[in-house]
């Protein structure tokens, strides 16, 4: 029996945020099947808010749904990842051109903190921490633009690219080079030097584009197992009911044949 839907409205947003985070951070790889029952058990809700969350993610492009095949994490074709990075770069340049004029000390401090975290994550080999800090850095530089529609699209495109963990196999030399590029962007932003910022950002995006073009999209995943086993009582009840129904049917057929004889 499906769990009661009471309270699901209040819990729908956390479920959506959690599933989106798992996809964006690569915990559930592109191409992986998403089991509604397993997700409901994991988040301790009925299937209703899970389905609602998955349909929202379908609208965001992070999940695909096919009749009779269920939900899967979107798998980009080769070439599409580079295309999205180009879109992301264009949106970022547009935001930076405005943000550099509007940004203040708090924005510089936020970017500097993220830049420090980037360096630490690279030194420690923390791939997930590196991607989080990288996004925090670029967010700190673009948010002062105060352009909600542009920034919403920018976030959406970033969500589509991050599952592929494009910086997941950085070597020490390449990590140092990217860190220096970030440093140049930070210095230009702090100095309110729009020309220098856009030049540094464009160079950084070119380096990212070369890296992405050299990396094929990840292979398709498989069904993601539930992180918490389903309740045994439900399984036992189902097994018992099925066994009972089968036994009854067999007995009925045997009796019928005996009467016919």
């Amino acid at each position: 029996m499906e769990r009661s839907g009471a309270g699901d409205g209040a819990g729908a947003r956390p479920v959506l945020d959690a599933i989106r985070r798992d996809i964006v951070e690569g915990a559930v790889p592109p191409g992986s099947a998403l089991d509604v029952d397993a997700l409901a058990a994991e988040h301790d809700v009925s299937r209703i808010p899970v389905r609602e969350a998955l349909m929202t993610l379908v609208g965001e492009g992070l999940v695909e749904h096919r009749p009779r095949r269920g939900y899967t994490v979107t798998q980009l074709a080769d070439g599409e990842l580079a295309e999205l990075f180009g879109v992301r770069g264009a949106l970022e340049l547009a935001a930076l051109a405005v943000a550099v004029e509007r940004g203040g000390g708090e924005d510089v401090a936020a970017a500097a903190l993220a830049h420090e975290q980037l360096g630490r994550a690279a030194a420690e080999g923390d791939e997930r921490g590196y991607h989080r800090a990288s996004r925090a850095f670029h967010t700190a530089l673009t948010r002062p633009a105060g352009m909600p529609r542009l920034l919403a699209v920018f976030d959406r495109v970033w969500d589509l690219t991050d599952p592929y963990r494009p910086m997941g196999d950085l070597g020490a030399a390449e990590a140092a080079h990217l860190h220096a590029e970030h440093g140049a962007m930070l210095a230009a932003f702090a100095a309110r030097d729009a020309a220098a910022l856009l030049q540094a950002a464009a160079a950084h995006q070119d380096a990212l584009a070369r890296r992405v073009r050299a990396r094929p999209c990840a292979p398709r995943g498989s069904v993601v197992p539930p992180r918490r086993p389903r309740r045994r009582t439900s399984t036992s009840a189902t097994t018992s009911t099925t066994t009972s129904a089968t036994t009854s049917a067999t007995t009925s057929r045997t009796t019928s044949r005996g009467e016919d004889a």
Side-chain angles (χ1 to χ4, degrees), residues 1-95:
M1 181 180 293
E2 184 166 315
R3 217 164 308 176
S4 171
D8 284 344
R13 184 70 193 192
V15 171
L16 170 61
D17 290 342
I19 297 174
R20 183 193 290 114
R21 182 173 57 249
D22 283 346
I23 293 173
V24 172
E25 294 190 347
V28 185
S32 298
L34 298 165
D35 184 89
V36 174
D37 290 329
L39 289 168
E42 178 184 343
H43 297 287
D44 196 27
V45 295
S46 74
R47 289 178 290 179
I48 295 172
V50 173
R51 288 198 192 100
E52 291 176 351
L54 292 175
M55 289 309 298
T56 297
L57 296 173
V58 168
E60 294 179 5
L62 287 170
V63 170
E64 295 176 343
H65 179 256
R66 296 180 182 178
R68 296 183 296 278
R69 294 184 63 181
Y71 299 91
T72 58
V73 180
T74 298
Q75 170 73 50
L76 298 177
D78 287 342
E80 289 183 327
L81 184 60
E83 177 183 329
L84 287 172
F85 261 88
V87 173
R88 197 177 97 179
L91 292 169
E92 182 173 32
L93 289 175

